[in-house]
Each structure stands twice: as C-alpha cells, then as structure tokens.
C-alpha cells in the first residue's frame, strides 16, 4: 500500500482536528486505472480529552484500530485509502472505491459501521477540497512547527526577531496595488521592497517579488494573524504569499515556506 502522509492541525466546527491525508494517491486521480467514483466514510470512536483528541493512553489503541481497518479495506480491489480526521472523540476514515458491496461486507466483519456514509464523488472533491490542506492551513501548521523548533533550539520567543515575508506576482500592476494596500493597512513595517522587473523564482517562472520586513516578538498570536492577513491580501491582488523566514531559526538563516 502506497502511503505518504501530510498531517496538519486545524479547526472543524470549532473543534481541534488532526487531518492526515494520503498524498500517495494524488497522481492516481487522473490515471485510467483509478477512476474511483465513490467515497466511503466511517468512524472509529475513542476516549477524548478536554480538546476532543485521544487521551494519552488511547493513542496506541486508536491507531491500531485505524491500521486494522486500513490493512483489511485497502486489500480490496479498486480501493484507495484517502486519509482520516481525528476530532471530537472520533476518527473518521475516508476511502475511494468502486466495490462498495465488498467494502461494506469487510467493514461489517470489522465492526466499524458508525457514521457509515457512501457518496458519489467522481472529481474527488472530498480529497482535494477537504482532506488536503489549503495553502493557509499549511502555512499555519508550519508556523506552529517553526515556533516549536525555535523553542527547542533554546530561543526565547519573547525576544524581538527580524521576520521577512515574501510575495510573488505575475503582473506588476497587481504588485503595485498590493504594496499600496499593505502600506495603508494597519501593519507595522520596517521595510517594504519589491523588484522592478520579474526575477527567476524557479527553473520555469519569472515573477515580480515583494518583501516585507518586520521586527516581532513571537510569544503571542500576532504571527498567526499576520500569516492569515498576508495570505488573503496577496490573494486579493492575484499574488502568492510564499511565507516568512526568520533570521534566528538556525545559526545561519532558516525559512518557512
């Protein structure tokens, strides 16, 4: 079974949720061999803590149960495991299949029939639009990981850090409108720089670049507020917010994309 997990934390209906999406099936959506049009979901319950996540002693049992379901159901022909969500006392598992009769038969044998639901999903909307993280969710999750790394490296988040945010734009007019909006917005800036001509950002693209420098403490929610603000602001002007980097992440320089 091919598995390549993207795991991230977000909120679902105001509850903390841990998403795990199987990136290994991404390329199979367009393959002639896949063409799986049904998505099946069901739940496995667990004893939750005050945040709705598994209690410490429940973790091993829950993931043994998930692995048991994954192993048995993925053995079916024309069946792919898309991922799961752990939240509010339940782990919800998602599979794509064309063999719903065989799937339900195996599921009944396992005893996992809570919240069983079968939907037509020929475009894999649940996988692409729900299970996979949005660009903002990816940046929020990565921000948490970077802050944890700074703490593990002995950094005091109450110190002042030099933070640099990077943006890309295809059109210079959109870039200039973004800059004007950012300067007028209620954002504390040390510097706002941009390129007059497109610059190479990878092997294939030439884009305009903008950079915003700030001095921030990272021991509060301000960095998360800024990430969300810049994500929406860049999107408003048809640009891309790449992310932020911090001069104190590593002994030289680290970055968050």
């Amino acid at each position: 079974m091919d598995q390549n997990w993207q795991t991230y934390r977000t909120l679902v209906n105001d509850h903390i949720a841990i998403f795990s999406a199987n990136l290994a099936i991404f390329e199979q959506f367009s393959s002639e061999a896949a063409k799986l049009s049904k998505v099946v979901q069901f739940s496995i319950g667990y004893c939750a803590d005050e945040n709705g996540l598994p209690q410490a002693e429940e973790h091993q049992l829950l993931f043994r149960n998930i692995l048991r379901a994954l192993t048995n159901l993925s053995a079916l022909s024309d069946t792919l495991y898309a991922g799961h969500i752990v939240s509010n006392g339940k782990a919800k598992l998602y599979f794509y299949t064309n063999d719903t009769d065989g799937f339900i038969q195996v599921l009944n044998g396992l005893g996992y029939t809570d919240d069983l639901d079968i939907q037509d999903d020929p475009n894999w909307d649940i996988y692409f639009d729900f299970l996979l993280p949005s660009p903002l969710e990816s940046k929020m999750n990565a921000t948490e990981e970077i802050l944890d790394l700074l703490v593990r490296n002995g950094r005091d988040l109450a110190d002042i850090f030099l933070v640099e945010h990077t943006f890309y734009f295809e059109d210079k007019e959109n870039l200039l409108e973004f800059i004007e909006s950012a300067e007028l917005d209620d954002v504390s800036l040390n510097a706002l720089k941009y390129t007059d001509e497109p610059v190479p950002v990878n092997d294939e693209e030439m884009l305009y670049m903008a950079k915003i420098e700030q001095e921030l403490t990272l021991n509060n929610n301000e960095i998360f507020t800024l990430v969300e603000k810049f994500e929406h602001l860049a999107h408003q002007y048809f640009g891309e917010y790449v992310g932020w980097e911090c001069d104190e992440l590593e002994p030289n320089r680290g970055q968050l994309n």
Side-chain angles (χ1 to χ4, degrees), residues 169-179 237-239:
F169 295 85
E170 292 185 2
D171 183 84
K172 188 171 184 179
E173 183 176 346
N174 290 332
L175 166 68
L176 296 177
E177 289 179 354
F178 164 80
I179 289 172
Y237 293 100
F238 305 99

Side-chain angles (χ1 to χ4, degrees), residues 6 22 26 69-70 156 171 191 204 226 237 239:
Q6 169 74 61
N22 185 7
F26 185 89
L70 169 105
D156 185 352
D171 183 84
E204 299 179 356
L226 288 167
Y237 293 100

Side-chain angles (χ1 to χ4, degrees), residues 15-162:
H15 295 288
I16 296 174
I18 307 298
F19 279 61
S20 291
N22 185 7
L23 302 185
I25 71 171
F26 185 89
E27 294 182 357
Q28 299 189 49
F29 170 68
S30 59
S31 72
E32 290 296 318
K35 288 190 175 178
L36 306 178
S37 61
K38 301 282 188 182
V39 62
V40 183
Q41 75 172 58
F42 61 92
S43 297
I44 300 175
Y46 59 82
C47 293
D49 61 16
E50 65 276 7
N51 295 314
L53 301 178
Q55 296 177 359
E57 60 274 14
E58 281 283 296
H59 276 279
Q60 190 172 9
L61 175 60
L62 172 62
F63 287 100
R64 275 205 307 265
N65 289 334
I66 290 176
L67 182 60
R68 177 170 174 252
L70 169 105
T71 303
N72 283 272
L73 292 165
S74 294
L76 293 168
S77 61
D78 295 330
T79 299
L80 294 172
Y81 185 43
H84 60 263
I85 304 167
V86 177
S87 181
N88 199 26
K90 293 181 179 180
K92 291 187 177 181
L93 282 66
Y94 296 82
F95 289 79
Y96 281 93
T97 186
N98 281 334
D99 184 12
T100 54
D101 291 339
F103 191 99
I104 293 173
Q105 183 177 354
V106 173
L107 201 60
N108 285 332
L110 294 171
Y112 299 145
T113 56
D114 288 351
D115 301 325
L116 176 62
D117 184 46
I118 301 173
Q119 301 178 50
D120 290 317
D121 191 13
N123 295 319
W124 287 22
D125 292 332
I126 287 179
Y127 178 70
F128 288 111
D129 297 338
F130 183 54
L131 289 176
L132 291 183
S134 69
L136 177 57
E137 286 170 332
S138 294
K139 291 181 179 70
M140 289 292 198
N141 195 67
T143 296
E144 288 187 358
E145 293 176 354
I146 294 300
L147 296 181
D148 288 342
L149 181 58
L150 286 169
V151 171
R152 291 199 301 272
N153 286 347
R155 297 292 293 131
D156 185 352
L157 299 185
D159 290 344
I160 296 177
F161 294 81
L162 179 62

